[in-house]
């Protein structure tokens, strides 16, 4: 019996808590962390890890740096964005047969790693920068080309027929220019999503609405998402177009397909137009992905995700729900105590790699936001601030010596109760 069948039996009431879970969803208050999900839905992976989904294919991420024509560069950025969707939104359901509920990161949680392949070294820094409201910030840099993605996001959930999730936040891709000192900047919005298959006990993600990428060189891409029964009748479908900003009808390239399967890029407004030619295509089945390298757990900082959550993750793997509860609550209690100490001592938790951008207004949002409906404030009130990568802090972190075992144990005790 495969996992979808098992879940479906569970959903039919085979002694599982799925029915109770569905009932609890119906009275859902919008707080995803508060959902008590049945064991098969629990994941031992924290949301801070999800930032790595932006770079499954580093050569595709870095490719825009080698293109000097601004329209073709914008197309390469759109292509890279589309190639990330499968891992971002379908990797758990493809691997396990159903979407899973990730671990809710604690403030200061880190996920650090790097990819090494023909694109050279690409570094990932992901940090939980806010707990109330929860927000994760990330910075990904391809060292040889300097192509850099930074962003932050939070999720706002609501219930209407199913769980609907709006992503708050945005990403900024910087691509060094071969002709000018000023790099090209691409402002990226994030798609909304909802959960399908809840009733059958095998939830999976479907994207909806539209998301945008707009560039400082004057090009905008609009991506329209649809599921089964909509535009193409196929799940995970999308159509995208790239046009000079403000001239939506003057389409230079159109892209269509399924973000979980393959897609084609054609010139002009329509795929089947006699003047349109096939420019490029992508089939994830035919592509190699580069695995992310993460330090072995014992070498990680105590606040690094896999080390901090290792006991919870092991308990989830064993299906030992009592231990899951105990280990999670150790972290939660220690975190509450840490916040209380900070309050008494009149200090704030220091983020290691990101700072709230206070020199308002933000240059990128002011310049590019209006073209795609993003406000200057970047929804900072819903993400605990407008977060930007702080290179000075990162440099300082790099210079830090490895913690001794005693120092690591002290941090783990004080901040994680371990
Ligand atoms: C399975 C369900 C019943 C429980 C709810 C789980 C819910 C909190 C999870 C499910 C999918 C998660 C999305 C995920 O698809 C991908 C991303 C992209 C990444 O860049 C940022 C996080 C985000 C939006 C996840 C948030 C948590 C979601 C909605």
């Amino acid at each position: 019996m495969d996992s979808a069948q098992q879940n479906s039996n569970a959903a039919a009431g085979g002694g599982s808590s799925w029915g109770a879970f569905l009932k609890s969803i119906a009275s859902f208050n919008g707080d995803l962390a508060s959902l008590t999900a049945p064991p098969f839905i629990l994941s031992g992976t924290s949301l801070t890890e999800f930032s790595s989904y932006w770079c499954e294919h580093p050569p595709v991420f870095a490719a825009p740096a080698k293109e000097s024509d601004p329209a073709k560069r914008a197309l390469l950025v759109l292509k890279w964005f589309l190639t990330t969707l499968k891992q971002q939104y379908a990797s758990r359901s493809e691997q396990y047969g159903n979407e899973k509920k990730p671990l809710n990161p604690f403030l200061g949680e880190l996920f650090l790693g790097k990819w090494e392949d023909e694109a050279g070294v690409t570094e990932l820094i992901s940090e939980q920068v806010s707990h109330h409201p929860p927000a994760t910030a990330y910075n990904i840099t391809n060292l040889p080309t300097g192509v850099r993605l930074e962003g932050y996001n939070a999720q706002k959930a609501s219930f209407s027929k199913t769980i609907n999730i709006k992503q708050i936040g945005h990403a900024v891709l910087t691509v060094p220019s071969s002709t000018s000192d000023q790099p090209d900047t691409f402002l990226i919005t994030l798609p909304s999503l909802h959960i399908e298959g809840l009733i059958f006990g095998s939830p999976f993600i479907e994207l909806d609405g539209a998301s945008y990428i707009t560039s400082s060189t004057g090009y905008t891409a609009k991506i329209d998402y649809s599921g089964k029964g909509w535009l193409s009748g196929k799940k995970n479908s999308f159509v995208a177009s790239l046009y000079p900003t403000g001239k939506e009808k003057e389409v230079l390239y159109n892209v269509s397909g399924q973000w979980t399967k393959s897609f084609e890029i054609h010139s002009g407004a329509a795929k089947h137009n006699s003047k349109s030619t096939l420019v490029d295509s992508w089939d994830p089945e035919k592509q190699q992905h580069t695995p992310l390298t993460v330090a072995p757990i014992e070498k990680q900082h105590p606040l690094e995700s896999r080390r901090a959550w290792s006991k919870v993750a092991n308990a989830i793997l064993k299906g030992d729900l009592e231990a899951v509860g105990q280990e999670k609550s150790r972290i939660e209690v220690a975190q509450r105590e840490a916040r209380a100490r900070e309050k008494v001592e009149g200090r704030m938790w220091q983020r290691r790699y990101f700072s709230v951008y206070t020199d308002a207004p933000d240059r990128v949002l002011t310049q590019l936001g209006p073209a795609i409906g993003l406000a200057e404030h970047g929804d900072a009130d819903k993400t605990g601030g407008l977060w930007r990568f702080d290179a000075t802090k990162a440099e300082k972190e790099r210079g830090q010596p490895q913690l001794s075992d005693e120092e690591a144990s002290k941090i783990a005790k004080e901040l994680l109760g371990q």
Side-chain angles (χ1 to χ4, degrees):
M1 190 161 46
D2 66 17
S3 59
Q5 275 172 304
Q6 279 169 10
N7 300 349
S8 162
N9 288 351
S16 103
S17 51
W18 190 250
F21 178 59
L22 288 184
K23 274 195 200 138
S24 76
I25 289 180
S27 55
F28 181 51
N29 63 7
D31 177 9
L32 285 166
S34 75
L35 282 179
T36 314
F40 77 87
I41 287 290
L42 296 181
S43 155
T45 304
S46 157
L47 264 184
T48 54
E49 290 208 23
F50 285 34
S51 307
S52 68
Y53 294 158
W54 285 109
C55 199
E56 195 184 7
H57 307 284
V60 184
F61 175 73
K66 301 205 175 82
E67 175 58 65
S68 55
D69 177 79
K72 288 186 183 151
R73 244 182 187 215
L75 181 64
L76 286 172
V77 172
L78 171 62
K79 177 184 170 189
W80 153 73
F81 174 83
L82 295 169
T83 64
T84 70
L85 297 177
K86 180 177 156 90
Q87 214 198 11
Q88 299 254 26
Y89 304 105
S91 50
R92 282 93 39 201
S93 49
E94 290 200 347
Q95 189 178 351
Y96 307 107
N98 56 271
E99 184 54 77
K100 297 227 171 206
K101 184 173 183 265
L103 294 168
N104 193 22
F106 54 86
L107 181 61
E109 184 176 326
L110 300 168
F111 186 64
L112 311 172
K114 61 179 178 199
W115 296 270
E116 278 174 292
D117 60 11
E118 67 267 35
V121 176
T122 308
E123 282 181 352
L124 164 74
I125 295 170
S126 176
E127 178 172 8
Q128 190 69 9
V129 286
S130 173
H131 189 64
H132 288 301
T136 314
Y138 48 86
N139 186 77
I140 298 174
T141 313
N142 175 251
L143 299 182
T145 60
V147 172
R148 188 169 76 82
L149 178 78
E150 68 170 306
Y152 58 95
N153 70 52
Q155 296 85 41
K156 189 174 181 317
S158 61
F159 184 81
S160 161
K161 292 195 186 122
T162 185
I163 300 175
N164 301 291
I165 292 144
K166 190 173 169 319
Q167 294 201 67
I168 302 164
H170 60 271
V172 178
L173 183 80
T174 307
V175 183
S177 163
S178 50
T179 52
S180 136
D181 290 349
Q182 280 302 310
D184 296 354
T185 309
F186 296 80
L187 179 61
I188 303 168
T189 65
L190 312 162
S192 300
L193 46 116
H194 65 268
I195 297 181
E196 297 262 357
L198 267 180
I199 200 82
F200 304 111
S202 47
F204 66 93
I205 296 297
E206 187 58 271
L207 300 177
D208 47 56
S211 74
Y212 295 86
I213 307 175
T214 192
S215 77
S216 56
T217 51
Y219 295 93
T220 297
K222 180 181 186 211
I223 306 124
D224 279 298
Y225 305 92
S226 62
K228 217 171 182 171
W230 255 90
L231 297 178
S232 80
K234 287 186 185 153
K235 70 191 258 200
N236 313 138
S237 294
F238 72 88
V239 290
S241 52
L242 181 75
Y243 48 88
T245 303
K247 298 177 180 163
E248 207 171 331
K249 297 233 158 62
E250 296 178 22
V251 176
L252 303 170
Y253 298 99
N254 72 86
V255 193
S256 56
Q258 283 170 283
W259 50 264
T260 35
K261 295 218 159 76
S262 59
F263 60 79
E264 286 185 352
I265 303 177
H266 291 257
S267 62
K271 185 174 164 180
H272 301 297
N273 186 315
S274 57
K275 287 190 205 137
S276 148
T277 54
L278 178 69
V279 175
D280 200 353
S281 63
W282 178 263
D283 182 348
E285 298 284 305
K286 296 186 184 139
Q287 305 295 331
Q288 280 214 322
H289 81 276
T290 308
L292 179 78
T293 313
V294 178
I297 289 214
E298 63 288 358
K299 293 238 166 76
Q300 288 179 15
H301 187 281
L303 300 184
E304 276 187 71
S305 197
R306 290 190 187 169
R307 177 162 177 176
W309 289 108
S310 63
K311 291 194 175 127
V312 175
N314 283 338
I316 290 176
L317 268 183
K318 286 192 207 132
D320 183 349
L321 286 193
E322 206 182 312
V324 173
Q326 277 168 0
E327 294 300 339
K328 264 191 183 177
S329 98
R330 261 190 233 283
I331 298 180
E332 282 157 11
V333 170
Q335 282 287 301
R336 271 198 296 276
E337 289 174 357
R339 298 296 85 79
R341 277 199 303 277
E342 286 159 14
K343 206 170 168 192
V344 170
E345 291 162 17
R347 58 187 173 88
M348 267 173 49
W349 174 256
Q350 293 304 311
R351 280 73 176 168
R352 284 189 149 72
Y353 294 93
F354 298 85
S355 293
V356 167
Y357 189 81
T358 44
D359 302 346
D362 175 72
R363 187 186 56 81
V364 178
L365 286 172
T366 314
Q367 191 197 344
L368 300 177
I372 54 175
L374 263 192
E376 252 178 34
H377 53 66
D379 277 321
D381 56 328
K382 301 188 185 82
T383 52
L386 196 165
W387 298 98
R388 291 288 183 245
F389 181 62
D390 191 327
T392 314
K393 280 185 175 176
E395 215 33 67
K396 204 172 138 209
E397 278 303 318
R398 250 186 266 279
Q400 293 291 333
Q402 172 102 24
L403 290 177
S404 67
D405 287 352
E406 295 80 69
E407 287 167 323
S409 311
K410 190 165 175 267
I411 294 174
K413 181 125 203 54
E414 278 179 5
L415 296 170
L416 307 170
Q418 294 171 348

